[in-house]
Amino acid sequence: MNPRLTLAASVAGAVIVALDGTVLTIAQPALQRDLGASHAQVQWTSTGYLVAVASLLVFGGRLGDRFGHRRLFAIAMLGFGTASAGIGLASGIGWVIGLRVVQGVFGALLQPATLGMLRAAYPPDRLRTPIAVRTAAIGVAAAAGPLVGGALVAGPGWRAVFLLNVLPTLVFGVPALAARTPQPTTAVRLDLPGALLLAVTLACLVHALVALPDQAPALLVAAVTATLFVRHERRTASPLLPPDIIGTRAVGAALGALVAASAALSGALFVGTYLLQDALALDPMQSALRSLPLAVLMVAAALSCPRLLRRAGARRTTMTALGVLAGGILLLSRASDTFTLCVGFGLLGAGFGAVMVAATHVVVREAAVESAGVAGGLQQTAMNVGPVLGVAAATALMGEGAGLPLTALAALALTGMAAGRALPGRFASIDNEHGHPQDRTPVPARR
């Protein structure tokens, strides 16, 4: 597997998913008018996708471990592109919602595969830079999404937002499908009961958080199925979540940091929209310009993070970055002038970019090659559940001002520092060959 081509494919898959989500937000009002849809129906174009992708990410990663990440990547890219084309040609809102759920299913196959391919293509001591490049590309996509979406909606219309996905999915999906893919060396058994229980748990949890309040039944179902899932995993011979991953202290800490950081960032951006446009009376373009430093510094931090990881280690890098993220949120809670707003958004981007690279590096590196898909699925689950949690918390605390929710979100980012304390320091420069069981347990370098 050519590492450079693998990195290009991984970046393309991650960017397509990131761009699709950001441009949809811009396209929703035009989609609603054109199809005569209600606000609730339009909301389900996002909720249906989110529930599908969040509930299936871990199982999608396990399928990659079983059948090969490149093969799953190809199927997911082509399926995602086909669903996108269907949405672009849809005649009614029902078709759009249904095909968005289909998109979510293929997205759940695609996202872990992009990380699983990197784990298989690069030795552990060279994973930092590919993950940083992938993260930086996601940052660029997130920044470009509103601009691309606005241009497409204002020009050819909202359908072009979805048709945009078709060409790149073909360009990367067809060659990956045609390439000869070696079978995984270790036969991985699929834990279907565990996958079903986890999917129901995550689907109910995400739906309840999105649809708050009055979602006690969904939360109750999530609690019951989560209990059954844990019980099943402890008893089955081939668990969906291998003990050598989920039982690793560093992986749990990294996932906790990712949830805290993504929740704090997404919640802050949700509140920040109202702060900029309501409290400060800025129009959407003025708001976008003031938040632009977020994307710029997120990319810069992601690209600088490999050097930070080599010098300071994952623990110090992640904890410092979470502190920077919290500081940016607190600054926004008191900002009223352009300079302070730009600095606040810039700190958000710098902190989040570094956390995402450092924590993702730990999750992917800790996994053995035969469990890389599950590790990627867990990372992506954290990155999907965190934003839902952050926006739900911000919505619940939104009252007469932005101060209280932003302060609470800053505190949430700081709680991630407690998890960060369990992350490893600097890794040794010499690693075991990937694929050997020992390569998932890093050896901290002596200081």
Side-chain angles (χ1 to χ4, degrees):
M1 189 180 292
N2 186 297
R4 291 185 178 181
L5 292 178
T6 300
L7 177 58
S10 176
V11 167
V15 165
I16 287 171
V17 172
L19 196 61
D20 181 82
T22 53
V23 298
L24 173 63
T25 304
I26 304 299
Q28 282 178 329
L31 182 153
Q32 180 181 2
R33 291 191 300 269
D34 187 38
L35 298 180
S38 66
H39 286 287
Q41 288 173 321
V42 171
Q43 179 63 32
W44 266 101
T45 64
S46 296
T47 303
Y49 174 89
L50 187 60
V51 168
V53 73
S55 61
L56 295 173
L57 279 166
V58 175
F59 185 59
R62 201 54 167 166
L63 288 174
D65 294 332
R66 173 66 180 84
F67 298 106
H69 298 296
R70 185 187 297 181
R71 180 176 299 168
L72 262 292
F73 171 83
I75 294 172
M77 285 287 272
L78 295 175
F80 197 92
T82 301
S84 298
I87 296 172
L89 301 173
S91 58
I93 188 63
W95 281 103
V96 174
I97 294 172
L99 288 169
R100 281 287 289 169
V101 173
V102 174
Q103 261 193 333
V105 172
F106 285 110
L109 300 179
L110 177 60
Q111 294 184 57
T114 62
L115 288 172
M117 291 192 304
L118 291 182
R119 178 63 181 90
Y122 289 87
D125 61 331
R126 293 180 55 205
L127 274 170
R128 290 180 290 258
T129 298
I131 290 174
V133 171
R134 181 181 179 275
T135 302
I138 292 173
V140 172
L147 299 177
V148 173
L152 291 175
V153 172
W158 66 268
R159 296 178 186 274
V161 166
F162 296 97
L163 296 175
L164 179 68
N165 295 328
V166 176
L167 181 59
T169 56
L170 289 174
V171 168
F172 286 93
V174 171
L177 188 64
R180 295 184 62 181
T181 305
Q183 289 290 333
T185 55
T186 303
V188 177
R189 295 183 62 183
L190 298 178
D191 177 18
L192 296 180
L196 178 61
L197 288 170
L198 182 60
V200 173
T201 299
L202 291 173
C204 291
L205 177 62
V206 170
H207 180 260
L209 291 174
V210 170
L212 283 175
D214 302 326
Q215 289 298 318
L219 289 174
L220 178 60
V221 173
V224 171
T225 53
T227 302
L228 293 174
F229 173 72
V230 172
R231 183 179 180 183
H232 168 80
E233 290 292 286
R234 288 177 175 175
R235 294 185 175 185
T236 186
S238 301
L240 177 66
L241 302 180
D244 58 352
I245 294 181
I246 198 65
T248 303
R249 187 182 180 204
V251 171
L255 293 174
L258 285 170
V259 170
S262 59
L265 176 72
S266 296
L269 292 179
F270 176 79
V271 177
T273 300
Y274 290 93
L275 172 66
L276 293 170
Q277 297 188 26
D278 291 350
L280 301 180
L282 300 175
D283 62 38
M285 180 56 70
Q286 292 172 328
S287 300
L289 290 175
R290 284 161 177 76
S291 62
L292 187 61
L294 186 151
V296 174
L297 287 186
M298 177 180 169
V299 173
L303 294 177
S304 302
C305 198
R307 181 175 297 178
L308 291 175
L309 287 171
R310 284 192 294 269
R311 293 185 176 182
R315 184 188 309 120
R316 290 183 179 179
T317 300
T318 302
M319 292 180 67
T320 302
L322 284 165
V324 171
L325 176 60
I329 297 173
L330 287 175
L331 192 59
L332 286 179
S333 69
R334 295 162 175 77
S336 59
D337 60 278
T338 298
F339 177 77
T340 307
L341 288 168
C342 289
V343 173
F345 279 115
L347 291 176
L348 256 69
F352 182 75
V355 172
M356 189 171 174
V357 173
T360 300
H361 174 249
V362 171
V363 173
V364 176
R365 177 180 173 135
E366 283 276 341
V369 173
E370 59 268 21
S371 298
V374 170
L378 287 170
Q379 188 269 354
Q380 289 295 318
T381 299
M383 295 299 297
N384 278 270
V385 172
V388 177
L389 176 63
V391 172
T395 302
L397 295 174
M398 285 286 283
E400 298 181 358
L404 177 59
L406 287 176
T407 301
L409 290 165
L412 178 60
L414 291 175
T415 62
M417 296 177 69
R421 292 179 61 86
L423 291 173
R426 289 176 294 173
F427 290 103
S429 59
I430 300 176
D431 290 88
N432 299 302
E433 290 295 326
H434 63 282
H436 191 282
Q438 291 180 344
D439 73 1
R440 56 180 175 264
T441 304
V443 181
R446 295 185 181 274
R447 297 182 182 177

